[in-house]
């Protein structure tokens, strides 16, 4: 049995945030928050670290891309194996193993004598990110009573963006001395904090019960539901009795569930190919190309224009996703992203036409630089209130119960795979077709995503998971009837 969910959220499950949390649940909340921060820190930190790495070693564009993007390759593998690991050794042990890997990877990165060792460290850290990105939300989802589950998911999403912001801030503080080793090494801090937080907590009652450890399960329930542990035990036992066996891969890819599978994959891919991580990872380089001459100016722009805006806009999305619905947020966000990327493209085109300053050999900061800055702020804000959180919400609610675990894994793997594709080739792309054309390409993909979402993604707000499932069954039945009618 695998019940893996990544950033699981279902509108139907979230409850008003007025319900008080017990001390144990606050700790669980802290675990999910710090897991998000850890994830985010490792996404963001490379933006500032690249400046020092490129000064210390003579790295080619291709190697810079490998150093940046192989975290996502490690995460892709980590996310795929995490469900099985969390079922076998437990959710808590999986989170701890991920944190330990993280610390090991961070130490390797910080001490690396050459770029190859650094790449190994990046892969290890990525693997830890991947495992944690599945095991921590799963741990929190199983620890949280239904009434607070939605809240924990929001904390996770907030943690990710806050982690990116924190990484940018650390990068900015350490940038004057090019202390890239310290920047990467600092990621061990949230990992150690995560171990310390989860150490006094047990595993989830649900996992104990699936392993036949009734006494441990009871103790865990007594902590989470001190008001009524008997009811808590009964609920978990009933939900385990209802468990469907994990669907085979054949079922996951069967015609019956083709629509939710294609929707999950499409959403995961469009979230990445519209450029988000090109900007998150290479923000300082983009600002440098936009005319921000000093490292201090570049890192300040990255911290505040990208990092802080991302946090604030995510908070707005979390507040509105259940009120406004998924489709309006996605479509409005894509309009903002597409238009701002188009403007950024024009800014770069006019920058390319400014003659180079003969003294500094760089283009001067001018209006195009300001347009690029404003454009990127609008882009990040538009992403953060739409595709950022909403894609994860949808991925976790569109899959029918029996294929949910594997369906979410497939979508998550496509998400990491596309993140790798973009971060692996972004710099080469800008070298070969130029910055302007690269941003216009992302803008064009926003248009494709807009049309695809408009045409195919249904509104799920206010529908229970069962209602969503019935919708796919009805659609596949009517498609079958139509094909039988045309055949007969
Ligand atoms: C995406 C990440 C991205 C982050 C930025 C998430 O929803 O999955 O790839 O780095 O948003 O905030």
């Amino acid at each position: 049995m695998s019940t893996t969910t990544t950033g699981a959220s279902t509108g139907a499950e979230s409850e008003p945030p007025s319900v008080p949390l017990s001390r144990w649940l606050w700790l669980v909340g802290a675990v999910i928050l710090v897991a998000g921060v850890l994830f985010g820190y490792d996404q963001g930190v490379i933006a500032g670290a690249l400046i020092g790495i490129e000064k210390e070693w003579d790295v080619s564009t291709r190697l810079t891309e490998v150093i940046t993007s192989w975290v996502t390759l490690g995460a892709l593998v980590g996310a795929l194996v995490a469900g099985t690991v969390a079922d076998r050794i437990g959710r808590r042990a999986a989170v701890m193993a991920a944190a330990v890997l993280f610390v090991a990877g961070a130490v390797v990165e910080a001490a690396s004598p050459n770029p190859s060792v650094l790449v190994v460290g990046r892969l290890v850290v990525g693997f830890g990110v991947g495992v944690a990105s599945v095991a921590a939300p799963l741990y929190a989802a199983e620890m949280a009573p239904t009434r607070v589950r939605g809240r924990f998911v929001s904390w996770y999403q907030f943690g990710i963006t806050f982690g990116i912001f924190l990484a940018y801030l650390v990068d900015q503080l350490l940038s004057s001395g090019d202390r890239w080793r310290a920047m990467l090494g600092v990621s061990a801090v949230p990992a150690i904090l995560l171990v310390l937080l989860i150490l006094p907590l047990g595993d989830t009652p649900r996992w104990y019960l699936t392993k036949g450890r009734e006494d441990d399960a009871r103790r865990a329930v007594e902590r989470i539901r001190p008001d009524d542990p008997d009811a808590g035990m009964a609920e978990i036992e009933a939900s385990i009795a209802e468990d469907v066996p994990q669907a085979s891969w054949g079922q996951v890819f069967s015609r019956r569930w083709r629509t939710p599978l294609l929707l999950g994959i499409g959403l995961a891919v469009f979230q990445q190919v519209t450029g988000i991580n090109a900007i998150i990872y290479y923000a300082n380089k983009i600002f440098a190309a936009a005319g921000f001459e000093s490292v201090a100016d570049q890192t300040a722009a990255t911290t505040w224009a990208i990092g802080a805006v991302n946090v604030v806009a995510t908070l707005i999305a979390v507040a509105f996703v259940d009120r406004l619905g998924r489709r309006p947020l996605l479509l409005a966000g894509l309009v903002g992203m597409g238009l701002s990327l188009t403007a950024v493209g024009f800014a770069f085109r006019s920058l390319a036409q400014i003659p180079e300053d003969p003294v500094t050999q760089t283009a001067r900061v001018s209006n195009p630089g300001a347009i690029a800055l404003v454009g990127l702020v609008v882009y990040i804000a538009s992403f953060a209130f739409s595709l950022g959180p909403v894609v994860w919400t949808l991925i976790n609610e569109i899959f029918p119960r029996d294929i949910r675990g594997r369906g979410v894994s497939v979508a998550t793997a496509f998400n990491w795979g596309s993140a790798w594709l973009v971060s692996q080739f972004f710099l080469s792309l800008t070298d070969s077709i130029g910055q302007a054309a690269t941003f216009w390409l992302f803008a064009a993909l926003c248009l494709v995503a807009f049309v695809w979402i408009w045409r195919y993604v249904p509104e799920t707000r206010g529908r229970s998971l069962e209602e969503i499932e019935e919708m796919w069954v009805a659609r596949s039945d009517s498609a079958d009837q139509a094909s039988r009618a045309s055949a007969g």
Side-chain angles (χ1 to χ4, degrees):
M1 178 217 57
S2 174
T3 42
T4 49
T5 54
T6 306
S9 168
T10 65
E13 283 171 351
S14 40
E15 281 278 320
S18 53
V19 187
L21 299 183
S22 72
R23 196 169 61 87
W24 283 102
L25 280 178
W26 274 110
L27 266 179
V28 175
V31 166
I32 189 80
L33 190 70
V34 175
V37 169
L38 197 74
F39 183 150
Y41 190 94
D42 265 271
Q43 297 268 96
V45 68
I46 196 65
L50 280 180
I51 301 172
I53 293 171
E54 286 176 332
K55 278 193 193 157
E56 185 165 333
W57 294 315
D58 182 22
V59 283
S60 63
T61 299
R62 187 47 56 83
L63 188 54
T64 304
E65 287 172 326
V66 168
I67 292 170
T68 305
S69 70
W70 280 31
V71 152
T72 57
L73 276 192
L76 170 70
V77 180
L80 280 177
V81 301
T84 315
V85 174
D87 280 347
R88 246 190 233 148
I89 65 171
R91 284 75 169 106
R92 173 174 168 266
V95 171
M96 291 214 283
V100 169
L101 272 177
F102 225 92
V103 175
V107 171
V108 173
E109 283 180 339
S112 48
N114 56 50
S116 314
V117 177
L118 177 59
V119 170
V120 172
R122 301 283 294 155
L123 268 176
V124 174
V125 161
F127 189 79
V129 172
V131 173
S133 76
V134 172
L138 179 60
Y139 179 77
E142 289 186 1
M143 280 299 224
T146 313
R147 63 196 163 84
V148 291
R149 197 174 301 152
R151 209 185 323 172
F152 279 180
V153 174
S154 315
W155 288 14
Y156 186 58
Q157 280 165 350
F158 170 74
I160 295 177
T161 53
F162 190 69
I164 294 174
F165 171 65
L166 217 59
Y168 287 167
L169 209 58
V170 171
D171 284 358
Q172 195 184 346
L173 291 176
L174 297 176
S175 67
S176 55
D178 293 325
R179 280 172 283 168
W180 66 269
R181 292 176 190 277
M183 295 173 193
L184 295 172
V186 166
S187 62
V189 175
I192 293 168
L193 190 62
L194 187 61
V195 174
L196 293 179
L197 280 170
I198 207 167
L199 212 58
L201 294 169
D203 213 304
T204 71
R206 190 171 218 287
W207 182 76
Y208 284 133
L209 275 183
T210 59
K211 296 284 163 197
R213 292 165 61 176
E214 288 236 359
D215 291 347
D216 289 327
R218 176 136 203 118
R219 259 196 296 280
V221 172
E222 275 164 6
R223 282 178 189 152
I224 304 167
R225 299 267 314 253
D227 51 320
D228 195 353
D230 290 333
M233 274 301 265
E235 263 171 37
I236 295 162
E237 275 164 356
S239 95
I240 289 177
E242 274 173 26
D243 261 0
V244 276
Q246 166 103 285
S248 67
W249 284 109
Q251 277 168 291
V252 175
F253 293 104
S254 70
R255 254 189 62 162
R256 188 174 181 78
W257 303 130
R258 192 160 298 163
T259 309
L261 187 71
L262 289 179
L263 283 180
I265 292 175
L267 286 164
V269 171
F270 278 125
Q271 189 201 48
Q272 294 297 330
V273 298
T274 43
I276 183 62
N277 282 320
I279 288 161
I280 296 281
Y281 296 159
Y282 297 116
N284 287 318
K285 283 185 175 296
I286 297 170
F287 283 125
F292 290 72
E293 287 174 23
S294 72
V295 170
D297 286 349
Q298 291 157 20
T299 52
T302 297
T303 307
W304 300 106
I306 308 287
V309 170
N310 194 17
V311 174
V312 174
T314 300
L315 288 176
I316 298 175
V318 164
F320 283 103
V321 68
D322 281 337
R323 241 177 285 169
L324 294 179
R326 286 67 166 137
R327 273 174 62 90
L329 282 179
L330 287 177
L331 294 172
L334 278 165
V335 171
M337 287 163 66
L339 291 179
S340 55
L341 286 169
T342 309
V344 173
F346 277 112
F348 273 109
R349 203 177 62 160
S350 51
L351 269 167
Q353 288 160 354
I354 296 176
E356 286 202 340
D357 185 319
V359 182
T360 62
Q361 293 291 300
T362 55
R364 282 188 219 95
V365 180
S366 54
N367 270 348
I371 294 173
L373 178 71
V374 174
L376 288 172
V377 167
V378 175
Y379 171 83
I380 285 291
S382 307
F383 174 87
F385 80 73
S386 65
L387 263 72
V390 178
V391 160
W392 290 120
T393 305
L394 275 166
I395 283 177
N396 282 285
E397 61 189 9
I398 56 172
F399 288 108
R401 200 178 140 108
D402 22 343
I403 64 159
R404 190 168 304 142
R406 287 196 162 161
V408 171
S409 299
V410 171
T412 306
F414 269 89
N415 189 264
W416 283 120
S418 328
W420 171 77
L421 202 70
V422 171
S423 46
Q424 175 70 59
F425 295 108
F426 176 72
L427 295 181
S428 306
L429 205 61
T430 56
D431 279 355
S432 60
I433 62 170
Q435 255 106 5
T438 306
F439 283 106
W440 285 332
L441 178 66
F442 287 140
L445 287 164
C446 287
L447 183 64
V448 177
F450 183 95
V451 173
W452 182 80
I453 289 172
W454 178 275
R455 173 96 184 72
Y456 296 109
V457 177
E459 182 55 74
T460 52
R461 175 179 65 121
R463 293 191 190 185
S464 71
L465 297 183
E466 290 69 27
E467 283 166 350
I468 296 172
E469 182 164 346
E470 275 159 23
M471 181 169 75
W472 307 134
V473 175
R475 282 195 190 183
S476 106
D477 286 352
S478 67
D480 281 351
Q481 268 169 14
S483 72
R484 267 199 301 274
S486 66

